[in-house]
Amino acid sequence: MSALRRTHASSYSPSSPSPKSSWIHLRSLLIVASSPVPDRGSLRSPWSRRKRKHPLARHQWSNFFTSDGKLRDGGIKFLKKARIVGIDPSIRPEVWPFLLGVYDLRSSKAERNVVRAHRRKVYEKLRRRCWQLLNPGDDKLNEMDSPRVCESVCSSVRESLSIGQESSFSGTLDHVGHEETGTPGHVIVEENENSGITCADVDADADDTESSYSESSSDEEPSSTLMSPALRLSEADPKLAKIASSIGEIPKDSQRAENFTTWQRIMRLDAVRANDEWKIYNPSQVNVSRGKAIKFATCIGLKDYEHLEPCRIYHAARLVAILEAYALYDPEIGYCQGMSDLLSPVLAVVEEDHEAFWCFVGFMRKARHNFRLDEVGIRRQLSIVSKIIKSKDAHLYRHLEKLQAEDCFFVYRMVVIIFRRELTFEQTLCLWEVMWADQAAIRAGIGKSIWGRIRLRAPPTDDLLLYAIAASVLQRRKLIIEKYSSMDEILRECNSMAGQLDIWKLLGDAHDLVVSLHDKIE
């Protein structure tokens, strides 16, 4: 571990950039360990002392909508409910696209149908590019490359357009995804000659807030210098960008092609190794036939899967299909170890590949900074965790300083894959949903004055994950101070949290920290 410490010290020095070899080495830390239930420390939360209410149920979710399919009061009550009690598993496929910004909180059902149809078409174009890169010279997209797509995309667009032809529709879509910040994003527009309606598929950057996930120099959408021309916002007039050119040509640069080939190889290895925790959340995928699974895997180019049961083969193929599409969508990030950990729960909840892809895009809008080779986003988040601990518990922080662990490198894995390895599958979904509810509230411009009526008066924050990570460390303050004399020991303790955390106590403690430190930290 001393060698690892030296690598870490050089990699996190403010005056020196992080070498690529350091990044690859740090990725090897993404491992799972087990241990007895640890000491939970002295933090207390009113939330954890009361019995948790039932999660948001279907009848409550339905009551949030008006007759035309819009969320009442801009989704404020919905977000508060989701943040406090979580979401019932049966409605997650419907709720997640709202939390992840796939659908605007102010959109109607007709508007969402149009956005869904356009984004489906964009995803299919990305899959065609992946197919062409996997099979040079073959322009045909195999019918099993996206197994759930079995009808004409153009027909879907026309059908969606015919549902809602309100005169206000075009104007409404102008703000879909842009929300309060007015930040431009990927805009794909097509005009229907019969209806005269202009439709937009907007994937805007979530916000301009100073978040732990990004800095002012790195909070942009996937680099415009790396994206294919039609995927980024048209500088002249975005409404001239046609859906037919939404993706553009396959990158011709040999280095990019080489990168994509490398990404394909790594993501296939990771997909085959993925665990099967998701199985209880997706019965239809569990019951997939072996013939269908193998046919899909063959079309995706998956190998060495013979030892897997059909549902895991199929899940691995879905992982590869969507990760490949994302690598083309965001070539600056491409693919890195850990991204499959973030996508797997999304696939367990969202049945349709094109919808799962856009949910993943929404998730990665913030999380993409965890996978930058320069590690800027990671270093900033570790710095904020350190600041939270220092502000809350000076004694613990001084002990960390003695161990040369005040930079909080020992929570690196928690930051990168967002507690995925430290929590059970269901706990992961609960944490992510509360975190997404905070981010959605910020995107919607819901301020402190409105949110202040919530229990504990904790305002929404982009950094809830970091408060939760700090809380998990503070819960172990006594153990760390009295028994641990090196950063290695603390690192092992953090890696051994898997399955031992009380998620609702953790969130309660995190919200306590937000209440007391939000203004000081953010």
Side-chain angles (χ1 to χ4, degrees):
M1 188 64 199
S2 59
L4 176 61
R5 179 68 197 178
R6 287 195 297 272
T7 301
H8 159 56
S10 62
S11 126
Y12 282 85
S13 170
S15 59
S16 63
S18 303
K20 184 174 181 180
S21 60
S22 170
W23 177 262
I24 296 173
H25 179 62
L26 294 179
R27 289 291 172 197
S28 66
L29 294 176
L30 303 182
I31 58 174
V32 180
S34 60
S35 73
V37 178
D39 186 332
R40 294 198 176 277
S42 60
L43 274 183
R44 295 292 181 267
S45 166
W47 285 29
S48 60
R49 288 200 296 270
R50 66 187 178 89
K51 185 177 180 180
R52 180 178 163 243
K53 295 180 180 178
H54 295 294
L56 177 65
R58 179 167 295 281
H59 71 276
Q60 295 170 312
W61 172 242
S62 299
N63 289 338
F64 283 135
F65 289 90
T66 62
S67 58
D68 61 348
K70 290 186 177 182
L71 281 168
R72 302 180 192 277
D73 67 15
I76 295 175
K77 292 181 180 178
F78 151 59
L79 292 177
K80 286 187 176 182
K81 184 76 173 177
R83 191 188 192 216
I84 295 175
V85 299
I87 297 166
D88 187 87
S90 66
I91 60 171
R92 278 174 173 155
E94 302 170 36
V95 176
W96 280 19
F98 288 90
L99 293 179
L100 289 166
V102 178
Y103 302 138
D104 189 271
L105 294 174
R106 296 160 292 187
S107 62
S108 68
K109 182 177 181 180
E111 293 161 1
R112 293 192 294 274
N113 285 338
V114 174
V115 170
R116 184 184 300 111
H118 277 281
R119 289 189 167 179
R120 177 175 176 170
K121 189 170 185 177
V122 172
Y123 174 71
E124 285 304 301
K125 283 177 174 282
L126 284 166
R127 285 303 313 148
R128 286 188 179 92
R129 300 300 185 263
C130 295
W131 174 261
Q132 290 167 354
L133 288 173
L134 187 63
N135 302 274
D138 188 350
D139 293 331
K140 179 183 177 183
L141 177 65
N142 190 290
E143 61 180 356
M144 281 301 296
D145 201 31
S146 258
R148 293 170 178 76
V149 178
C150 58
E151 61 185 75
S152 169
V153 171
C154 294
S155 174
S156 299
V157 173
R158 287 194 295 271
E159 179 182 353
S160 299
L161 287 171
S162 66
I163 293 174
Q165 304 208 4
E166 304 90 355
S167 60
S168 62
F169 177 69
S170 178
T172 302
L173 275 178
D174 287 340
H175 71 247
V176 173
H178 284 45
E179 292 141 0
E180 299 299 324
T181 66
T183 306
H186 306 311
V187 180
I188 302 165
V189 179
E190 180 180 37
E191 183 173 352
N192 183 284
E193 297 178 357
N194 298 325
S195 66
I197 297 173
T198 300
C199 317
D201 172 17
V202 181
D203 176 28
D205 194 67
D207 51 68
D208 289 329
T209 58
E210 293 184 1
S211 157
S212 68
Y213 285 92
S214 56
E215 297 182 316
S216 58
S217 62
S218 62
D219 195 30
E220 71 281 355
E221 283 287 335
S223 172
S224 59
T225 62
L226 295 176
M227 294 294 292
S228 54
L231 260 180
R232 57 183 183 266
L233 184 65
S234 170
E235 295 180 359
D237 183 356
K239 292 190 176 181
L240 294 178
K242 297 295 183 181
I243 194 75
S245 60
S246 60
I247 301 304
E249 300 298 324
I250 301 173
K252 292 186 169 74
D253 185 89
S254 59
Q255 182 61 48
R256 295 183 197 176
E258 182 179 342
N259 287 344
F260 189 79
T261 300
T262 301
W263 296 333
Q264 284 182 313
R265 178 178 56 82
I266 298 173
M267 66 180 65
R268 279 163 171 73
L269 290 173
D270 289 349
V272 170
R273 294 168 183 164
N275 60 43
D276 60 356
E277 292 178 289
W278 53 269
K279 289 170 66 173
I280 63 173
Y281 295 89
N282 199 323
S284 63
Q285 190 169 318
V286 169
N287 296 323
V288 68
S289 69
R290 187 167 190 85
K292 183 177 182 180
I294 291 177
K295 188 175 182 181
F296 187 22
T298 301
C299 292
I300 292 297
L302 204 61
K303 298 178 180 179
D304 301 323
Y305 55 78
E306 293 78 8
H307 62 291
L308 298 177
E309 55 187 323
C311 65
R312 291 187 64 185
I313 297 173
Y314 195 74
H315 184 75
R318 290 189 72 197
L319 280 171
V320 170
I322 293 176
L323 289 170
E324 281 185 339
Y326 185 82
L328 286 184
Y329 177 85
D330 185 0
E332 182 183 19
I333 300 300
Y335 177 74
C336 193
Q337 182 185 18
M339 289 171 63
S340 59
D341 289 85
L342 303 186
L343 176 58
S344 185
V346 176
L347 295 187
V349 170
V350 183
E351 288 281 346
E352 297 291 339
D353 284 2
H354 64 96
E355 291 182 350
F357 170 78
W358 288 109
C359 283
F360 185 62
V361 168
F363 193 0
M364 287 295 291
R365 189 174 291 126
K366 292 291 184 184
R368 69 186 296 273
H369 299 284
N370 293 356
F371 302 98
R372 292 173 60 101
L373 289 177
D374 59 15
E375 300 182 359
V376 169
I378 294 295
R379 291 201 304 272
R380 187 168 192 271
Q381 291 176 87
L382 292 175
S383 175
I384 289 179
V385 173
S386 175
K387 189 183 298 184
I388 294 171
I389 294 174
K390 182 178 182 180
S391 300
K392 184 65 178 180
D393 193 330
H395 185 194
L396 174 59
Y397 185 79
R398 285 194 296 271
H399 182 70
L400 294 177
E401 283 184 313
K402 291 178 183 178
L403 305 183
Q404 295 184 323
E406 71 278 5
D407 52 14
C408 294
F409 173 71
F410 49 85
V411 300
Y412 177 91
R413 186 178 73 177
M414 298 183 196
V415 173
V416 173
I417 53 176
I418 314 179
F419 260 122
R420 181 65 189 86
R421 303 285 178 86
E422 288 69 33
L423 299 173
T424 66
F425 199 84
E426 175 61 26
Q427 288 177 332
T428 298
L429 303 189
C430 291
L431 172 66
W432 289 2
E433 287 165 349
V434 175
M435 180 180 72
W436 294 339
D438 266 20
Q439 294 171 0
I442 291 174
R443 288 198 306 270
I446 301 176
K448 295 182 183 180
S449 59
I450 297 176
W451 202 269
R453 293 188 291 274
I454 195 171
R455 182 182 296 269
L456 290 182
R457 304 181 65 81
T461 172
D462 266 325
D463 300 329
L464 182 61
L465 169 70
L466 306 185
Y467 286 98
I469 290 173
S472 71
V473 176
L474 289 164
Q475 287 175 352
R476 288 156 176 75
R477 68 176 305 278
K478 183 177 181 180
L479 190 66
I480 292 172
I481 292 173
E482 295 181 357
K483 295 187 177 181
Y484 294 155
S485 57
S486 70
M487 196 197 75
D488 297 32
E489 293 176 314
I490 303 176
L491 179 62
R492 284 195 293 270
E493 171 65 24
C494 290
N495 285 348
S496 69
M497 290 181 186
Q500 306 298 329
L501 291 168
D502 179 337
I503 182 58
W504 292 103
K505 174 176 170 50
L506 183 68
L507 283 169
D509 290 350
H511 281 111
D512 278 343
L513 292 173
V514 173
V515 171
S516 60
L517 300 176
H518 180 269
D519 292 335
K520 186 182 299 185
I521 299 298
E522 301 184 32

